[in-house]
Amino acid sequence: MSKQEIKKYMNKIIKILALLSIFVSCANQQKKDEEQIRKTVNKFWDTIKRDDIEGYKELFYDNEIYLGSISADFYFLHNNYDEISKSIQGKKLKIKDTIVFLPENRKKYVQYIIKKDNDSNNLYKPLVITLMFYKPVGYDKIYNPSPLDNHIRWGNKKIYE
């Protein structure tokens, strides 16, 4: 091998190692991000179980602006915790990606769909809980101040439209 061929070969190896290093770094960061989301979700459920509204409020970004809706959701979740927890126990936490309007607005979310107990005929609309996370505010904060959907109608019979 000539010196020039050795240089080309070494440059290729350096490029491959640099790309591999970037890939490993990104994978490690993604793992850290997902671990932070898991911790936040666990704190979310723990504060509800322990009836810790102050701890619950602290989990939300801009919580001082949305105290009313955050408090209302908390009381609903706490009052229905036993039934909700039965539905989520043992299920693997799935963190999903979403893009809102632009790629730089990429968010992550965890979603629970909870069906009413004793509803084998699917007569009741499910409760949907969506916890949204946005990296610029930190994965230790829930980005959407009202994660509940259909909680007012949860337990009411379906209305076919």
Side-chain angles (χ1 to χ4, degrees):
M1 257 190 196
S2 70
K3 284 185 178 183
Q4 191 172 8
E5 288 174 327
I6 292 173
K7 267 187 176 178
K8 283 182 182 179
Y9 181 73
M10 292 302 286
N11 282 338
K12 284 183 181 180
I13 289 176
I14 290 171
K15 287 178 184 178
I16 290 171
L17 289 175
L19 288 173
L20 184 60
S21 173
I22 290 169
F23 176 76
V24 169
S25 175
C26 288
N28 284 340
Q29 186 59 48
Q30 182 176 357
K31 189 175 180 179
K32 287 178 186 176
D33 291 348
E34 289 187 0
E35 183 59 32
Q36 181 60 59
I37 290 171
R38 289 179 201 290
K39 284 181 183 177
T40 305
V41 170
N42 287 337
K43 283 181 187 177
F44 174 83
W45 291 115
D46 187 53
T47 58
I48 293 165
K49 181 180 181 179
R50 291 185 295 111
D51 197 14
D52 178 10
I53 190 164
E54 294 305 318
Y56 181 85
K57 286 189 244 181
E58 289 301 315
L59 292 172
F60 289 87
Y61 174 72
D62 269 351
N63 60 18
E64 62 280 348
I65 297 171
Y66 304 103
L67 282 178
S69 66
I70 290 171
S71 297
D73 286 355
F74 173 81
Y75 287 115
F76 173 85
L77 289 166
H78 180 71
N79 290 337
N80 293 284
Y81 181 79
D82 290 339
E83 188 172 353
I84 292 169
S85 67
K86 288 178 198 172
S87 296
I88 64 172
Q89 277 181 338
K91 290 188 179 176
K92 186 177 178 189
L93 185 69
K94 294 179 185 174
I95 301 169
K96 299 176 185 176
D97 289 316
T98 185
I99 296 175
V100 181
F101 300 117
L102 301 169
E104 47 282 356
N105 287 342
R106 182 170 306 198
K107 294 179 177 70
K108 294 185 177 288
Y109 69 97
V110 173
Q111 188 171 65
Y112 299 93
I113 298 174
I114 297 138
K115 296 182 179 183
K116 197 75 173 150
D117 278 350
N118 303 320
D119 184 27
S120 58
N121 294 327
N122 293 321
L123 295 175
Y124 299 98
K125 289 189 175 194
L127 171 67
V128 179
I129 304 170
T130 306
L131 305 174
M132 190 76 65
F133 298 91
Y134 189 41
K135 188 164 187 140
V137 301
Y139 289 139
D140 62 335
K141 296 288 182 191
I142 299 168
Y143 191 66
N144 55 326
S146 186
L148 300 182
D149 184 32
N150 196 41
H151 71 288
I152 293 172
R153 297 179 66 191
W154 190 49
N156 294 336
K157 289 192 176 183
K158 285 184 183 178
I159 299 172
Y160 294 98
E161 299 166 3

